Amino acid sequence: MNLVFLGPPGAGKGTQAERIAGMYGIAHISTGDIFRENIKKGTELGRKAKEYMDRGELVPDEVVIGIVREALAGESCSQGFLLDGFPRTVAQADALEEMLQEIGRPLDRVVNLNVPDQVVVERLTARRTCRNCGRNYHLAFNPPKVDGVCDACGGELYQREDDREDTVRARLEEYRRKTQPLIDYYRDKGLLVEVPGDGSVDEVTRAIQEALGQGHGHTGS
Ligand code: AP5
Ligand code: MG
Ligand code: ZN
């Protein structure tokens, strides 16, 4: 199964991608997580990406495309992959199509998670993220078992710098301008499935599983 998760910031892409990738035994590739790891390690890539991320802007296409090309070549993708947060521009989507053609692994589905802006702001301003493994929590909707500690790995939870309300607004603006056109792009290719993202975490997981069981596209390997 080769999947893309589309949706505005805070739609629940990361939360659902972790679950769905686990269920299908495929690799979860989050470009945002890759950038945050690089920022933590202080790499050149991290330094470059941080400049844009802190302003809520997209990192330039040529930077992101190279990273995804590398990730897709990894051993962990041999059973399939779930791209979370990529592509985010038409240029990225075109580049992805080319890469996948080269390696002979076309997309099976593109899942678009729909959530209203108000829900996005509510979710992101109370999100906490694990510094170690990147898992996401919400202080009210999806809290960790122990305050400030990741259930999965025991890592420290922190608030992402781009989750301040004004930066969230900027990210929504970028989404609308550059990423939303991909909904029609993938609908035209017959790959799009739309899933409402504003139910509970479990409800959304079930809706995605249902959506992946039907519709057009390739049926995997
Ligand atoms: P990225 O890290 O991808 O951020 P994003 O797209 O803004 O999405 P988020 O991670 O904020 O939200 P999510 O949809 O994963 O939601 P989550 O599951 O955490 O990108 C960050 C930055 O990196 C970008 O701004 C850009 O600068 C750069 N970048 C990354 N990829 C790029 C690319 N391809 N091109 C260019 N630049 C790129 O959930 C959110 C919260 O809600 C959590 O608190 C969670 O616990 C809670 N929650 C989730 N589901 C539910 C539910 N059903 N009910 C209640 N609460 C829920
Ligand atoms: Mg995410
Ligand atoms: Zn963790």
Side-chain angles (χ1 to χ4, degrees), residues 6 26 45 69 142 156 191 205:
L6 273 185
I26 58 180
L45 171 67
R69 188 188 302 279
N142 186 20
E156 179 208 357
L191 291 172
T205 305

Side-chain angles (χ1 to χ4, degrees), residues 7 16 47 50 83 99 107 148 194:
Q16 297 298 334
R47 198 194 51 76
K50 188 175 192 308
L83 289 167
M99 285 182 231
L107 289 178
E194 303 243 34

Side-chain angles (χ1 to χ4, degrees), residues 119 121-128 136-144:
V119 173
V121 176
E122 228 171 59
R123 283 186 183 176
L124 292 185
T125 46
R127 168 164 61 186
R128 293 296 180 271
N136 295 302
Y137 297 87
H138 187 283
L139 294 180
F141 308 140
N142 186 20

Side-chain angles (χ1 to χ4, degrees), residues 10 13-15 31 36 57 59 85 88 92 127 137 171 199:
K13 300 183 295 295
T15 302
T31 43
R36 281 182 289 278
E57 290 171 14
V59 174
R88 267 170 136 108
Q92 291 179 20
R127 168 164 61 186
Y137 297 87
R171 285 159 60 198

Side-chain angles (χ1 to χ4, degrees), residues 130-135 137 150-157:
C130 175
R131 227 182 251 293
N132 182 49
C133 76
R135 188 164 180 174
Y137 297 87
C150 177
D151 294 350
C153 77
E156 179 208 357
L157 303 186

